Amino acid sequence: MSVFRPRSNTIFRVVLVLLAGGAAATLGGLMGYARVPAGTGQQEEIQQPVLFDHRHHILDDGIDCRYCHQTVERTATAGIPSTAVCMNCHSQVWNRSPRLEPVRESYFTGQPIPWVRVHQLPDFVYFNHSIHVNKGVGCETCHGRVDQMPAIVQVQPLTMSWCLECHRNPAPNLRPREDITVMGWQPEGDPVALGNELMKRYDVHARTSCTTCHR
Amino acid sequence: MSVDTKRHAAVVNRVDPLEPVPVLVGRPDDRELNQTLFAPVWAKTRKGWLVLFALALALTGLLFTAIGYTFAVGIGAWGNNIPVAWAYGIVNFVWWIGIGHAGTLISAILLLFQQKWRTSINRFAEAMTLFAVIQALLFPLIHLGRPWFAFWLFPYPSTLGVWPNFKSPLLWDVFAVSTYFTASLLFWYVGLLPDLAALRDSSKSHAKRVVYGIFSLGWRGSARHWRHYRIAYLLLAGLCTPLVLSVHTIVSFDFAVSQLPGWHTTIFPPYFVAGAIFSGFAMVLTLIIPARKAFGFEHVITEKHLENMAKVLLATGLMVAYGYLSEHFIAWYSGNKYEQFVFWNRANGPYAPVYLLMLFCNVLVPQIFWSGRARRSIWVLWIASILVNVGMWCERFVIIVTSLHRDFLPSSWAIFKPTVVDWSILIGTIGFFGLLFLLFLRFVPSVSASEVKELRRELEHEAAPPHPVERAAR
Amino acid sequence: MATYVLAQFQDEHALCEAARRLRELGHTDLDAHSPVPLHGIDEALGLRKSAVPLIALVGGVLGASGGYLMQFWMNALDYPINVANRPLHGPPSNIPITFESGVLISVLFIVFGLFALCGFPRPYHPAFDAPGFESATVDALWLSVRTDRTRAEGITHELERLGGTKVSTVPEDER
Amino acid sequence: MSSVKRIGLPVVGQDGPDDAPDCRGADGRRHWRSLEEWSEGAAAAKAEFPRGAAFLPEALTRRGFLQMLGASAALAGVAACRPPRQEIHAYVRHPEQALFPGNPVPYATALARHGHAVGLLVTTVDGRPIKVEGNPDHPESLGASGRLEQATILDLYDPRRIEGFTARKQPKAYRTLLRELATVAATHEKDGGARLRFLTGATGSPLLLDLRRRISERFPRARFHAYESLTEEATADGARLAFGRALDTRLHLDGARIVLALDADFLSDGPSALRLAREFAAHRTPGPDMSRLYVAEAHLSTTGAAADHRFRMKPSEVLGFARQVAAALASSQGLGDLARIAGDAKPTREASAVAEDLARHRGASLVIAGPRQPAAVHAIAHAMNAALGNAGKTVDYAAPPTEEPAGPRQLAALAKDLAAGAVETLVITAWNPVYTAPADVDLEALLTKVPDVLYLAYRPDETSARATWVIGESHPFETWGDARAHDGTVSIVQPLVQPLLESISEVELLAAFLGEAEKGAYQLVQDFWRARSGAGAAFAARWGTWLAKGVVEGTAAKGEAPTVRFADVAGAAGQPPPKAEGLEASFVVDKLDDGRFAENAWLLELPDPITTISWDNAAMVSPRTAQELGVETGTRVELRLRGRKVDAPVFVAPGHADGVVTLPLGWGREAAGPTATNVGFDAGALRGSQAAWIEPGLALAPFGKRKHKLVQTQEHFSMEGRDLALSFDARAWEEEGPKRLEHLRGAVNAMYSPFGYDKQAFKWGMGIDLAKCTGCNGCVVACQAENNIAVVGKAQVARSREMHWLRVDRYFSGPPENPEVVSQPLMCVHCEAAPCEYVCPVNATVHSDEGLNEMVYNRCVGTRYCSNNCPYKVRRFNFLEYQKGKAPLEKLRMNPDVTVRYRGVMEKCTYCVQRIERARIAVRASGQNKIPDGELQTACQQACPSQAIVFGNLADPESRVSKMHQDERRYDLLHFLGTRPRTAYLVRIRNPNPALSA
């Protein structure tokens, strides 16, 4: 008399399928997760010590990015504005607004404002703003429509493969230097032709050597 | 031990040395074979087994403690340094992989060559292969500086957009070893099916029936199944044969493809494969001699088997010796002073004792098998087989450490000294190997009953020409 | 509602004879059970050649070509890197992995193909319910006929006439 | 990029009183100096001052922890494994000067040791000094820097530094300290400072000397005693003997073709070593103006290793040899003046050959006497130089800053007063005199007789333990001052960072005794120089240029060539020297200087240039002597000298003179930190005041079975007959040298055609000229500082796991008693067909489009296969986590441009790729595509005093490196392997005297 019953066959097979499927799903899930915003930290809301609204400063006041991010064309870091820069205007306007209290406090105590970092690369990645900006890569390309962000979020995955896309074929991401800070910039005329033309003009070429970013 | 095995033992003793020793003593019928061959599985756990198991368990514990420690503090826990960046880790890896060659070789190649004496030792040898390869598989992982990134060695689509480097012999290793393990495992399991079914059907307890029933997947000896089974088994053997040769060839590439004097040698692939078979058969002997005594398998694993294996040892031992010879000759002949120095250094450098031990164990010891009496003497066989295993470990040490510690620039020469952790891992793997093997002996028939039954029929049909399909099956 | 009629036989000739006889009688759905493969049973049962070799070939070809293309695409096309001044696409260095992946896939195809063809895993089968059938994997030869209940009676007699012992009938109840 | 930068450490570079932020005093820090105010203004202080910054955790953890980040990369950013959000601290007020976050800014300053300054450029990033370079405008640096200068930066961030001040066991705030110092000073006014003494080190600083003068005016009976254990008394006496007055001797090797060094290690020791190495190396290439160097010495020094002829002799025999040369010059070369000096000396073959050579190059030769030699030898050297007409050409003389040389004599005077109990207040600014004092001056006991011992200390040490006042000393990079180079050139010492820990400088301490400490160092130095320059209104502008250039122009002392008083010299040197019997003790200076670098882990681990011993010093003897004494390397022996005892391990040194035991000073500290305590043995404990350097009558007795483990980074000194570090004799080279190199360069037949680098604007390469390299190891420390290279400790070095990316291989050839030496700097040679690359399974080491052999740490899984396959064995592996457990202060030193490697990762020389990328980005961002040759230097190249290392762009045929690759002396290391290295070597050429080599 067999120890198994007809339903054993089904059970046995189902279990096998579950085991195999489960293993596959776990691996696939991890790989997938690494590619979705949840995994790359995109669209993550981040509390800043001061409710700074880029939207308002760019659209309503028409301030150029470089007014505050002064060193973007000259150094690796774009440069977080010193409190003094804020006070240039806010000593005059909104100089009583409670929202700006932390700024004034910083200015008078000399304590820096503890901004929270949004775009964060590993320490072994050496990203340099100046070279990108000078070779015609716009702020928008990596940081997105800042002019539409009440609070800054990371819009690009910032994964290595994402960097590589552009490092292998920069042309589509180039724009004339004068439009670097323009938001929602559209190439007039044939984008491909323009891209290639800019490649020549700024002497841009693909760089995928490891030491370009890792030192 | 059952009555009839005693009888067989008696038969063995009465055999006249001038007569060819049979591969199967007596004419036990199927039921008898079932009884004797499954006896170890059904019998009560023995004291001896428990003692050995406890020992193996302890050593396994040591192994994983040592590995844990290495992971915690880094490779610095070992004796490795610059220039000797590879040492025990890789020595053990190559040694175990080599041992893991006999099984598949015996069952696959001997099957293709229709060697009757294969039948009663192949299951045993395959199991040994699996467990040896498991030991070997540990090392590529634990010898990494950052083992938690080991998965970077596999070509999976990562967000880094970087791929492994397929020019690296190490990557070939990854593929070769994992393929070899998978293939051996499946080959072994497929071969096990009929016996598992037999166990299921001949076991008394309900639990055992369920367990064996699950693992035998519902095998019921149907002619429809046999038809696919035989050809599948044959094909697996056909694939495993080149595979087993490729694996050690690729392992030897780790060295041959580099340009270090003492490593960069074209003789390596054949010489490694020969060495692998050499050590593999040695290990089979080391294990099978006590096992057949303990379980009373003298009638199925007869002196014929042992003697044949001794012959294989002799043959492969000579090949290995030839490998050494040609290495040294080419070094001298090349006129390359770096190459020449390495071989001079092996015999005269700080590691000369290991080198001499290697020569003794691998070149001298096998020579005693020219004498038939030595081949038939259990003790000589057993001790020789152990010595060969030691010798083969020394060979890997000589190749890896001795070549590394004095290479091109004398300024960077240095001495390698193994640490406690190094030793623990080496001994630990032996314990872990033993552990798995003991479990195998206890829960799986270590001689393939179905194949021995078939063999018996063949021996009966000897007179009449075998059936064509059956020939294919063998 | 199908049933199985099973009978044990002493030696393979009797078994084969019985099989032939039953087929002459038009019972095609026969199967033999034995601890070892039997000679000439395939003819007796009229079984065709196995499909396993074909499966193996397909697997081997897929594996090898896939392995080679993978290496070519990853190192020469997707991320070409100058490694030690070696050509990006170096066929010689691709041989080992091509071979290994060929073997691997082929082996997997064979084994799982075998299981598929045998309908494994199938721990339960009506035949197991036949009294004494356990001996099929140990030392006895069995013949089983799948038929409908109506004809079971006749087959039983036939089998007994052909020398089958322990003849029994088990209903197939696939639930 | 560390976020410390964004805290806005104020770099008090150029900002003076006017442009300093309002809230600050002249030196920009005084206002928080008192703890009282500190507690009030703590908030303000924290934001403004680095001492806060040193303890911001996130700034420091981040760079160190590659594991976490690696893991995050590994799991491709599974949120759980992503590093925590970091804070960004922006400047509150952006500094006025063009200071950009993350951009390195070099500031000119100077570093004085034993009263001699070397001009430096110190690179700061975001206010953190991280790297020292030489100042090209400084005459004694010429852009080069030695291992000690390089290592100074590590001391700045030493967590063992003394913070704050304690007087009589009471912690004092800055203001309180000054007040109390003022009162102490006042109590001495009534008796004119009769019971006030100062124990200082040697100094040339005009400001300090001026302060001393003014203190002496206020306290006429107070005394200053200058003590240096590495004394140059003999040098001064020699000059007095020869010229009748104290004069500094200034060597000029660029004009010298024949050089005779009498026990003088001028290439690695002494105030002008950097300049002399440059000048010496300039004439070591084959040709008409190739120089020839004779060295007479006991132990094999780097100078001896560079010599064309090296005469092995006891230090005491050097005088005899000098007289023989003089004799030969007098007799056969007709320099009659020298006859009396030579006395009855009989010239040997060597002596005559040297004399002949010297005489053949009158005015273009030079005799150098080492500071360890007695006055007579110096006098003879002066006499010979005068007689040979070298004076004024290859050597000239100038008045020293202080008449009396610092040394035992001055200490003895002080000791007398101390013993007499005539001292109430002793101010010690000299470095750790209790340790450095001669064995026969028991300063430790004497100090107990002094009620108030004020000690200006950088770290707790033997002296601070005996002092009643321990005053935290500022690091030279933290304070204002001035310093004088050996040639008289003065540099303004400007700070690169606020004191990381509360401390003051010697200037401020002395000023306290004039009641001027309140002014602060900045004010003091500026006032002094405003007065000294007499520039008035124009001063501000001039001051600016001085700071920018790093030198005060026109301060170099006038050189003169005074007449030698041959009679007096003869009087001192005329009679034959006494025969020395028994063993002779010879004390030498090595990498730890007088011991003040004993706690510098870089230097402790740095292998000795000749013996390659790391983490130890040893009593060195010749093979012969060792045999006679029945000792061998590692044997522990007891050394006895005039009843003084020391236990030491023996090292059998090739090329060492027989009958001498060489004892390196500065080791075996007792009250040092964990890194240095009981490392090596204290040879100083054997030293007496009389014979500070050389003393006969040493007894050596082996004891104990167990040997002492001396670890060497290189254990095999033979080239095993392989073509590795090649050297030729000049003549052999002329004849068929280039031909002998044919098989070591040029194309090798390879299976694969080389990758083309023609389209690239840059094609990096390096050239190393073995003829120039003196093996000083300066480059090794420079590399360590630039690339955040870990120190691994003695145990790991013993396992041969040192991490130095750049090592200097040293091979001996010829007889072991006096071998020829070749030093070969070796770092990754960046093979175009790199064996390491194709074996890496994960593509962690690959080639860049500009031909760099890249090592990608964050991709490395640590199979170590690359190292096995590297024929040069230049790869280093993090066997353990060597960067662990750094104090926050230490972490501030890390170069933010270089990844800190985690355990399990392979690393190696990258040709300073961080510098390459910075330079390239700079030029390309500004639109061009050309980096001028020489503007981009690797750390090793920049440090190298003899300019043996040249890095540059091979794509530019005019670049120096391209020319080196074309040089006929060029060869490739292990060329036959076909690795096509990007680093080319130039063979070394020796220039032996045919008369002697015959």
Side-chain angles (χ1 to χ4, degrees), chain B residues 78 82 86 149 168 254 408, chain D residues 74 722 800-801 839 863-865:
Chain B
W78 302 359
I82 305 294
W86 281 359
F149 286 141
S168 166
D254 287 347
F408 293 97
Chain D
R722 305 172 177 187
S800 112
R801 291 172 179 175
V839 297
T863 66
R864 308 187 295 292
Y865 199 173

Side-chain angles (χ1 to χ4, degrees), chain D residues 114-115 196-205 208-209 211-213 215-216 223-230 402 404-408 410-411 414 426-433 436 443 454-456 473 506-507 509-510 513 594 596:
Chain D
H114 315 309
L196 175 62
R197 294 287 182 278
F198 294 83
L199 177 55
T200 71
T203 184
S205 153
L208 280 174
L209 293 174
L211 287 170
R212 290 185 192 179
R213 185 182 52 76
I215 289 176
S216 307
R223 292 279 168 277
F224 280 89
H225 301 272
Y227 173 67
E228 289 287 345
S229 61
L230 312 180
T402 54
E404 186 54 28
Q410 295 200 41
L411 184 64
L414 173 65
L426 175 63
V427 182
I428 304 176
T429 61
W431 179 78
N432 196 5
T436 57
L443 210 55
L454 282 70
Y455 180 38
L456 185 66
E473 181 181 21
E506 184 176 3
V507 170
L509 179 60
L510 293 189
F513 283 81
D594 59 359
R596 67 187 61 191

Side-chain angles (χ1 to χ4, degrees), chain D residues 256-259 280 283-295 304-311 353-354 357 360-361 364 727-734 770-771 820-821 969 987-998:
Chain D
R257 292 297 157 270
I258 304 298
V259 180
F280 175 72
H283 300 292
R284 292 306 293 174
T285 50
D289 71 344
M290 182 171 188
S291 65
R292 177 173 298 144
L293 172 62
Y294 299 93
V295 174
D308 298 301
H309 288 288
R310 179 168 173 273
F311 308 121
V354 173
D357 228 356
R360 210 182 304 118
H361 296 78
S727 65
F728 288 82
D729 282 358
R731 183 175 298 165
W733 176 257
E734 296 308 328
L770 299 182
E820 286 189 345
V821 186
R969 288 190 295 130
V987 291
R988 169 160 190 196
I989 305 295
R990 301 172 183 283
N991 187 19
N993 183 346
L996 282 172
S997 50

